[in-house]
Amino acid sequence: MVYSRLAPVLDAVLPRRCRSCADVLDAGMVCAPCAAALPWNADACARCALPLPAPGTCPRCLARAPRFDAAWTAFRLEPPIQQFVHRLKYHADFALAALLGELMATRLGARAQPLPQLLVPVPLHPRRLMRRGYNQALELARTVGTRCGIPVAMRATRRVRATEDQIGQSAAARRRNMRRAFVAAQDLSGLHIALVDDVMTTGATLDELARVCRAAGAARIEAWAAARTP
């Protein structure tokens, strides 16, 4: 939090440095060599974004397809992206939300498929939002939406149940934990939407959110995140 508040002052008096290797930069937050070396999730399952040796559909999705139509993440959750996400999520480093969002938008802008009509960030429960003070998924969605020209529907869904922390839980436990955690608060009839989160692990959160968005009329649902765990 302190870094985020002082960042504009520090940028004015200190050299701008790469957030990965600390080399001095003329512009931006990551130098070109570090950007090229980031753990891009180039080959992944088309349904859940699980990293794969080659593009395709993973066995788990063949056995049990998720309730969203497609998934995409920019990165694998590996250094330095893992540290970037952690600083955004737990230390309010909003500069990294801008960096991750811009990198996501650059890749999304080059894709052949049509972009969604609406971005729906994964909502936090009001109590968690009050404690944290911000929603990292919304911060990412704002940058991606601005860069890609897609409106962000920050109130399209609500989290109505305070779920347990999912770190360390199995895929089945995560699915149970997320049941009926969300409700739709907006008519999504006929829309192509993308759900946005910071990290996708098993996809349980995005799967449950996709369920309520489908019930609200969404025609096509994609799941987007900055990073995907292996």
Side-chain angles (χ1 to χ4, degrees):
M1 183 73 77
V2 173
Y3 176 85
S4 297
R5 290 172 179 170
L6 294 179
V9 177
L10 295 175
D11 284 346
V13 298
L14 297 176
R16 185 185 296 271
R17 294 186 178 275
C18 173
R19 297 299 294 265
S20 183
C21 71
D23 278 356
V24 175
L25 298 174
D26 292 328
M29 284 183 279
V30 176
C31 67
C34 284
L38 290 173
W40 297 98
N41 194 18
D43 295 328
C45 174
R47 291 303 302 269
C48 75
L50 181 73
L52 295 175
T57 304
C58 72
R60 191 174 72 182
C61 287
L62 289 173
R64 182 184 182 276
R67 285 177 280 200
F68 41 80
D69 299 293
W72 173 88
T73 71
F75 302 102
R76 304 183 302 276
L77 191 64
E78 299 172 3
I81 295 298
Q82 189 170 16
Q83 287 73 27
F84 290 176
V85 169
H86 189 272
R87 287 199 59 81
L88 165 60
K89 190 168 186 174
Y90 298 111
H91 299 282
D93 195 336
F94 298 123
L96 288 173
L99 172 61
L100 291 168
E102 288 174 5
L103 293 169
M104 291 170 69
T106 298
R107 287 295 170 104
L108 288 164
R111 78 178 203 167
Q113 305 94 328
L115 288 170
Q117 298 164 280
L118 200 67
L119 299 184
V120 178
V122 173
L124 293 179
H125 188 270
R127 288 204 296 271
R128 181 166 293 181
L129 181 60
M130 186 176 297
R131 288 197 303 269
R132 185 172 294 169
Y134 63 96
N135 179 353
Q136 70 278 2
L138 174 58
E139 298 302 321
L140 288 169
R142 282 173 169 156
T143 298
V144 174
T146 298
R147 287 287 305 273
C148 293
I150 309 172
V152 177
M154 60 181 294
R155 295 184 178 86
T157 61
R158 292 186 293 114
R159 191 182 293 238
V160 294
R161 191 166 60 79
T163 54
E164 297 176 9
D165 195 319
Q166 303 209 109
I167 295 174
Q169 292 191 18
S170 67
R174 286 170 180 258
R175 287 195 297 271
R176 288 193 299 271
N177 188 38
M178 295 310 302
R179 283 176 187 160
R180 304 190 183 282
F182 305 107
V183 296
Q186 178 177 329
D187 182 12
L188 301 172
S189 294
L191 292 178
H192 174 189
I193 69 171
L195 313 177
V196 182
D197 208 355
D198 56 340
V199 174
M200 186 175 181
T201 304
T202 64
T205 299
L206 291 159
D207 190 65
E208 178 62 17
L209 188 59
R211 183 186 69 79
V212 302
C213 289
R214 188 79 72 189
R220 178 173 172 80
I221 303 172
E222 299 186 33
W224 292 357
R228 179 66 157 89
T229 60

